[in-house]
Amino acid sequence: MTYIIVGGSSGLGRALAERFAAAGCELVLVSRDIRDTVPLANHLAIKYAVKVSPIAMDLNCSPLPFDAIDAILEGHLPLQGLLMPAGINDDNDVVGLSDKKLESLSRINYLAPCQLLNHYLPFLEKNSGVIVGFGSIATARGRSRNAAYAAAKRALESYFESLAHYAASSDLSCQYYVLGYLDTNLAFAQNLLFPLASVDRVADVVYKRRFTTGRRFLPRPWYFLYRVVQLLPWAIFKRLSF
Amino acid sequence: MSEGLVRETCFTSFDGTLSLITRHQRPDRFSHLELPAAAVHRIPRGGGYSYSAASFGENSLVQEMTRFNRFLEFNPEKLTLKLEVGVRLIDLMAWALPRQLHFPVLPGYPLITVGGCVAADVHGKNPYKDGTFSDWVRQLTVFHPRKGYQSCSPEENPDLFAMTCGGYGLTGVITDVTLQLAKLPAPWIALFQKRVGSFEEAERELSSCAADIAYSWHDASAGSNFGRGIVYTGQWHGNGAPPKPMKFHPMTAETRARLPVCAWNGLTARVANSALLLHSRYKKDVSVMSILDASFPFASNVYFHKLFGRPGLRETQFLMSEDKIGQCLEALKKLVCDTGAPTMMLSLKRFKGVQKSLSMSGTGYLVAVDCYRNARTDLFMHHLDQLILDMGGQPNLSKDSRIPGEVAELSIASFAAFKQGLFEYDRERTMRSELSQRLGLL
């Protein structure tokens, strides 16, 4: 079976690619820079002897080049899943950011994943497939930082709730993971309050739970922090800077 | 000046003698590697197992390449494997062994990266038979911020290739390496041990054997036991299934130095060495083990290094010609006994190769000496430097964090040519480390 991994060249995307390839799945890796995707595709093919096809695609472009991905899929086993660990945030993402940045953050974090999901939904419904989306702990409550990013991810979460409701009577599995701090390059450069989770462990959970449906926090303890932030009285929350 | 995702990190040389806080980037994609402006001084870093500070330096951005760790291309006819520079030796062997392949030049620790092996042109357990790491490198890609990506091999850009193998990252960031693999002769190694009473006896054993693995260990603590030791020789052995993957607790420069004090001193060194010699009397003279256990003895025996604690250790390695090795070891024995030097152990390997760039290679015997640190250590090392210079020896820059620039300049045959080549290749000396600063390569 074949899985499409969007944002599959580094961080969690790469860990997912490694985990699914180790399990013998064929992969289509989609990422912005083909220079990163081709080496990973070669690596997985050499290490696990599976068919992996790389393709360059910028989620910020419209319309998305579905034809190119569909052409690649024709040479693969039937499509089984769509994993979308893609996203982008911006240090200058505060209320009042430029229209261009607002549009870009909305497109990459919300619109493009929804468009991909919509495009492949008929195939995946037919194959009892899997759709996996990824959100962030940053969506717990709107803050002055990550304003557009959090809004887009919250919108994506809502869309996945709708998807779960839509697919409740079918064999389609859909999960939405709310991610805490992961050991990625983004976290590497930050002084963070909490320990980082290994992307390999997260990828392992995603693989093992791929045929389930629902929202899940990874790592699990982040659920409690998420709830605490949501329940904080406004008088306290407005004073916090994080 | 944008440098991408960068933090401040305190780096420590593996011997624990040098520490420095500097900017640290860990690129995981090409755009991040290229992000720092060309004017930013930088130095690549692999696993961080060099005893000298070759992968960090003052005002130099450290580009840690451990996330560039993908296998890129395998040619089953030529048995060449192209891989990214951050692939660790343990991962290389874990891939190769089930495919009945292996890589013959393995330095002592499994988490060393392929890039680090090229940069320091390391050697394995029998450099007389297998040469050094660069002898097995077929092609490299080097990224330099002012020159872009350059492919080099013995045929293409041979000068850059020669300067990069053993060039300690000063020509740029190696992004990928094509290695020549070898067919696995057998899945196991039969390691023979023979007790010897002196260096001369060990030399005779090493020079007369045609083993796949050949080195000796000696008691180097000052006293009557000085020079007594064990010669290890190994041969491929057996058939059947390849060994299982190795299990070990990773050791880094930081975890090595957790003990706040050094447990080694004159007494504990003598006791430990005597215990090892005594143990060898009751141990079988042949043990069958996996190639990984035979190649990476310090992966499972971490206590030797850990007991040096936070004060760290001093190691020095040098190559001495065959005609002078006997005289050199006599002089070394006298030096240790006269000065009460804090030496612990000494190791010998027979070597064959051609010296190039800053690498240690040539024909002769490799001598490795480990010392704990006290007031006499640096004076002993100073005398040892003089001995190496007097006898025409050649130091290993990756194993000694204090080799002065003058000693390197006088003892490494191609030092001047390397320096001239580097200065012509990179007038700004973009790649900088504590090592390059100490050697006057800025």
Side-chain angles (χ1 to χ4, degrees), chain B residues 44 46 49-52 54-55 85 105 107 112-124 132-135 137 140 162-170 174 317 351 355-361 394-400 412 435:
Chain B
Y49 288 95
S50 173
Y51 282 48
S52 65
S55 62
V85 75
V105 181
I112 297 172
T113 61
V114 167
C117 292
V118 176
D121 195 12
V122 299
H123 57 270
T132 60
F133 201 90
S134 64
D135 294 324
V137 176
L140 297 169
M163 281 207 297
T164 304
C165 296
Y168 292 93
L170 300 180
I174 306 168
Q317 284 190 1
F351 231 93
Q355 202 279 317
K356 49 192 178 292
S357 64
L358 299 177
S359 73
M360 186 195 67
S361 188
Q394 184 195 141
N396 185 348
L397 297 177
S398 71
K399 285 291 190 174
D400 191 335
I412 298 174
L435 176 71

Side-chain angles (χ1 to χ4, degrees), chain A residues 9-11 14 32-33 35-37 39-40 42-44 46-48 183-186 188-190, chain B residues 5-7 24-32 34 67 69-74 84 95 99 149:
Chain A
S9 67
S10 62
R14 181 176 166 183
R32 193 167 36 178
D33 192 341
R35 294 184 303 165
D36 299 315
T37 326
L40 182 59
N42 292 344
H43 170 77
L44 298 173
I46 290 173
K47 203 166 170 188
Y48 302 109
D183 185 10
T184 62
N185 218 14
L186 193 65
F188 171 79
Q190 294 175 342
Chain B
L5 300 164
V6 169
R7 73 180 183 197
H24 180 195
Q25 186 202 25
R26 192 181 62 186
D28 64 353
R29 60 196 82 173
F30 284 94
S31 56
H32 287 176
E34 297 155 5
R67 296 295 166 108
N69 59 347
R70 295 164 287 207
F71 293 79
L72 301 178
E73 196 179 326
F74 174 59
E84 285 184 325
W95 179 86
R99 291 164 177 82
Y149 293 90

Side-chain angles (χ1 to χ4, degrees), chain B residues 314-388:
Chain B
R314 282 282 185 215
E315 175 161 320
T316 195
Q317 284 190 1
F318 57 93
L319 190 65
M320 191 57 67
S321 63
E322 291 188 346
D323 57 325
K324 288 191 179 159
I325 185 67
Q327 196 187 343
C328 171
L329 291 170
E330 267 307 309
L332 179 62
K333 182 177 179 179
K334 187 170 182 310
L335 181 61
V336 169
C337 295
D338 287 354
T339 60
T343 47
M344 270 206 72
M345 58 147 278
L346 186 150
S347 171
L348 291 177
K349 281 177 197 164
R350 208 169 169 215
F351 231 93
K352 189 164 71 180
V354 178
Q355 202 279 317
K356 49 192 178 292
S357 64
L358 299 177
S359 73
M360 186 195 67
S361 188
T363 300
Y365 281 88
L366 165 81
V367 183
V369 184
D370 282 304
C371 303
Y372 49 89
R373 293 180 75 199
N374 66 16
R376 294 189 297 272
T377 311
D378 286 347
L379 183 63
F380 166 71
M381 287 290 179
H382 175 72
H383 287 308
L384 191 55
D385 286 345
Q386 199 54 52
L387 179 69
I388 294 168

Side-chain angles (χ1 to χ4, degrees), chain A residues 85-214:
Chain A
I88 191 168
N89 59 17
D90 191 315
D91 287 344
N92 302 315
D93 176 12
V94 289
V95 173
L97 81 167
S98 69
D99 287 354
K100 194 178 170 190
K101 280 194 172 169
L102 180 63
E103 195 176 327
S104 169
L105 286 166
S106 308
R107 179 165 295 285
I108 294 170
N109 293 303
Y110 169 62
L111 277 175
C114 292
Q115 287 168 346
L116 281 159
L117 185 161
N118 291 346
H119 181 79
Y120 290 107
L121 188 59
F123 300 92
L124 293 168
E125 273 187 297
K126 200 168 68 183
N127 296 342
S128 305
V130 174
I131 300 177
V132 186
F134 295 88
S136 164
I137 195 75
T139 61
R141 202 161 173 183
R143 298 169 296 137
S144 52
R145 288 174 58 197
N146 296 132
Y149 171 78
K153 283 292 189 187
R154 208 187 283 181
L156 183 66
E157 187 174 338
S158 176
Y159 201 80
F160 265 79
E161 275 175 17
S162 301
L163 174 68
H165 193 253
Y166 165 84
S169 56
S170 74
D171 289 334
L172 184 74
S173 306
C174 70
Q175 302 113 48
Y176 189 81
Y177 290 96
V178 181
L179 302 174
Y181 293 162
L182 299 185
D183 185 10
T184 62
N185 218 14
L186 193 65
F188 171 79
Q190 294 175 342
N191 287 321
L192 299 170
L193 281 173
F194 300 101
L196 305 177
S198 150
V199 286
D200 296 328
R201 291 188 67 177
V202 170
D204 193 48
V205 172
V206 173
Y207 176 76
K208 286 177 178 161
R209 293 182 54 84
R210 66 194 183 284
F211 293 119
T212 61
T213 290

